[in-house]
């Protein structure tokens, strides 16, 4: 795919980026607000020589993803909140078996069936494991359609680098909005990718076993220590945006779509002479703890703004706990806050 400028939805940016990254297998089941992704890929992926399967359920989709990942294939599934919940067992199996795969969650309102509007209520599910056992996903939070395109490409590379599932956490705002995106072509996928572990027939080599069941004495403990070392190594992948934080007295912390809207509010307040900045985590796991801690040592105050009742704020407070605290303002799911609505709690925090 040569570089091209297109006016597309965030969902379409995900699909285009996955194709550019070398996607070969897609498994999914319809659910709003991410349906543009499977709709697009149902034609585009077979045209590109890949396989598209509309599975009978989200449970089946995730288990098909596990199977393709075990064969070293670049594979992906997408869904929205309750659909991702159904996938959790297979995602835990993938993490335990050290299998690379990409999962996209266009977060909708909850709990339960909720609604089809935007929310950030799946932060805990995404960053704290989600399924059973002691594991982590590498989680990326785009705020623009361009970032969605760029980060889905990065997600495939990171999944194979760490042999671990990677999750893109978007929402209904990102998925449904349209804006210009510049596509680009990454380096071709090496035929040797996963060559030392993938299951591709044992002719001419010893057989291999990929598993998440460890029954021998001390075996599971060893596997969990091995996985923990890998999660610690992921700290080198930390990404964030720091906007006007150098001289800021108050730092607003927000991610994804809310981070983008908050940036507009920060710009407006800056124009009015207020010393406020924005810190936008892009990797939600690993969380940019040290970067926030560094800001806290400078005597700054913090306000976390989320599209939920308070989830990421716990990670912010842990990051700054030795030097500061963080206030919190949550917008209820299903509504899209405007920059003016975000400006109000920031002004209130500045006046304290």
């Amino acid at each position: 795919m040569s570089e091209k400028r297109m006016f597309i939805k965030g969902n379409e940016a995900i699909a285009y980026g996955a194709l550019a990254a070398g996607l070969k297998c897609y498994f999914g089941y319809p659910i709003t607000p991410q349906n543009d992704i499977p709709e697009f890929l149902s034609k585009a992926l077979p045209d590109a020589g890949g396989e598209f399967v509309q599975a009978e359920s989200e449970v089946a989709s995730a288990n098909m993803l596990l199977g393709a990942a075990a064969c070293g294939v670049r594979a992906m599934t997408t869904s929205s909140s309750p659909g991702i919940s159904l996938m959790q067992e297979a995602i835990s199996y993938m993490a335990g078996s050290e299998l690379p795969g990409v999962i996209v969650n266009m977060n909708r309102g909850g709990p339960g069936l909720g609604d089809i509007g935007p929310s950030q209520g799946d932060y805990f599910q995404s960053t704290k494991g989600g399924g059973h056992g002691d594991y982590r996903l590498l989680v990326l939070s785009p705020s623009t359609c361009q970032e969605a395109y760029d980060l889905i490409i990065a997600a495939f590379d990171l999944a194979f680098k760490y042999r671990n599932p990677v999750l893109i956490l978007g929402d209904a705002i990102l998925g449904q909005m349209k804006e210009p995106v510049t596509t680009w072509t990454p380096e071709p996928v090496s035929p040797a990718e996963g060559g030392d572990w993938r299951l591709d027939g044992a002719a001419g080599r010893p057989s291999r076993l990929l598993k998440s069941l460890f029954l021998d004495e001390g075996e599971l403990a060893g596997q969990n220590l091995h996985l923990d070392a890998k999660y610690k190594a992921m700290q080198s992948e930390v990404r964030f945006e720091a906007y006007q934080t150098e001289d800021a007295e108050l730092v607003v912390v927000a991610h994804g779509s809310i981070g983008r809207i908050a940036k507009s509010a920060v710009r407006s307040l800056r124009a009015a002479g207020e010393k406020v900045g924005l810190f936008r985590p892009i990797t939600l796991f690993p969380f940019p703890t040290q970067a926030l801690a560094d800001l806290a040592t400078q005597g700054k105050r913090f306000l976390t703004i989320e599209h939920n009742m308070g989830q990421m704020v716990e990670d912010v407070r842990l990051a700054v706990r030795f030097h500061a605290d963080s206030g919190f303002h949550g917008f209820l799911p299903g509504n899209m806050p405007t920059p003016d609505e975000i400006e109000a709690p920031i002004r209130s925090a500045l006046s304290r």
Side-chain angles (χ1 to χ4, degrees):
M1 185 189 299
S2 58
E3 186 172 301
K4 188 162 92 171
R5 189 83 161 158
M6 297 187 294
F7 187 63
I8 55 176
K9 283 185 177 183
N11 281 336
E12 294 168 329
I14 291 283
Y16 274 109
L19 289 171
L23 176 67
K24 291 302 178 188
C25 291
Y26 173 91
F27 315 101
Y29 187 80
I31 183 172
T32 305
Q34 62 84 52
N35 283 330
D36 306 287
I37 302 173
E39 180 181 5
F40 181 92
L41 289 174
S42 65
K43 181 178 189 306
L45 185 54
D47 287 350
E51 297 291 335
F52 174 93
V53 178
Q54 180 174 311
E56 64 268 32
S57 68
E58 290 90 350
V59 174
S61 299
N63 280 282
M64 291 177 185
L65 178 65
L66 184 156
C71 297
V73 174
R74 290 203 164 200
M76 177 175 78
T77 188
T78 66
S79 192
S80 295
S81 305
I84 296 292
S85 296
L86 290 168
M87 296 180 178
Q88 291 303 321
E89 180 183 40
I91 294 171
S92 177
Y93 283 10
M94 289 180 68
S97 303
E98 297 190 79
L99 297 177
V102 174
I103 303 139
V104 177
N105 179 6
M106 287 301 178
N107 197 163
R108 58 187 260 178
L113 284 176
D115 65 13
I116 61 173
S119 170
Q120 292 181 333
D122 296 355
Y123 180 91
F124 281 157
Q125 180 195 64
S126 303
T127 62
K128 310 300 182 186
H132 62 285
D134 203 3
Y135 74 93
R136 298 284 191 148
L137 306 181
L138 204 155
V139 183
L140 302 169
S141 174
S143 68
T144 68
C145 293
Q146 182 67 60
E147 211 167 51
Y149 181 89
D150 297 339
L151 289 180
I152 194 74
I153 293 174
F156 280 96
D157 291 338
L158 291 168
F160 276 83
K161 178 179 179 179
Y162 290 101
R163 282 183 60 185
N164 203 74
V166 175
L167 186 138
I168 300 283
L169 183 60
D171 62 16
I173 300 172
L174 176 71
Q176 294 302 316
M177 71 180 177
K178 273 190 169 186
E179 59 185 346
V181 172
T182 300
T183 63
W184 52 276
T185 304
E187 291 295 317
V189 178
S190 169
E193 185 173 68
D196 58 340
W197 56 263
R198 67 191 182 204
L199 304 183
D200 54 2
R205 63 162 175 79
S207 61
R208 295 168 177 166
L209 176 63
L210 297 174
K211 64 173 185 173
S212 63
L213 180 65
F214 300 91
L215 297 178
D216 291 343
E217 184 71 28
E219 191 181 13
L220 182 58
Q223 175 68 353
N224 275 276
L225 287 170
H226 165 69
L227 294 176
D228 184 62
K230 180 166 64 174
Y231 304 144
K232 287 182 169 67
M234 290 178 185
Q235 291 295 326
S236 64
E237 308 297 341
V238 163
R239 303 182 187 204
F240 59 87
E241 177 190 9
Y243 176 74
Q244 299 282 342
T245 58
E246 294 85 354
D247 65 339
E249 295 174 359
L250 178 72
V251 176
V252 176
V253 186
H255 77 90
S257 298
I258 299 302
R260 180 178 185 171
I261 301 170
K263 189 174 183 178
S264 295
V266 167
R267 282 199 192 100
S268 177
L269 289 164
R270 274 276 167 178
E274 301 287 359
K275 289 189 175 182
V276 58
L278 172 74
F279 186 93
R280 180 174 65 89
I282 298 173
T283 51
L284 302 184
F285 183 84
F287 194 71
T289 300
Q290 188 58 53
L292 275 170
D294 291 344
L295 290 173
T297 62
Q298 300 168 30
K300 300 180 189 300
R301 295 184 293 129
F302 298 88
L303 173 65
T304 303
I305 299 180
E306 300 181 69
H307 211 169
N308 57 41
M309 300 301 289
Q311 296 188 24
M312 184 180 70
V313 65
E314 295 190 7
D315 285 335
V316 176
R317 286 170 174 161
L318 282 171
V320 305
R321 68 190 184 280
F322 295 118
H323 308 282
D325 195 0
S326 175
F328 173 75
H329 186 87
F331 290 94
L332 297 177
N335 303 308
M336 185 175 78
T338 66
D340 287 346
E341 289 171 324
I342 287 183
E343 196 172 316
I346 297 175
R347 284 190 179 277
S348 177
L350 282 166
S351 66
R352 291 185 197 129

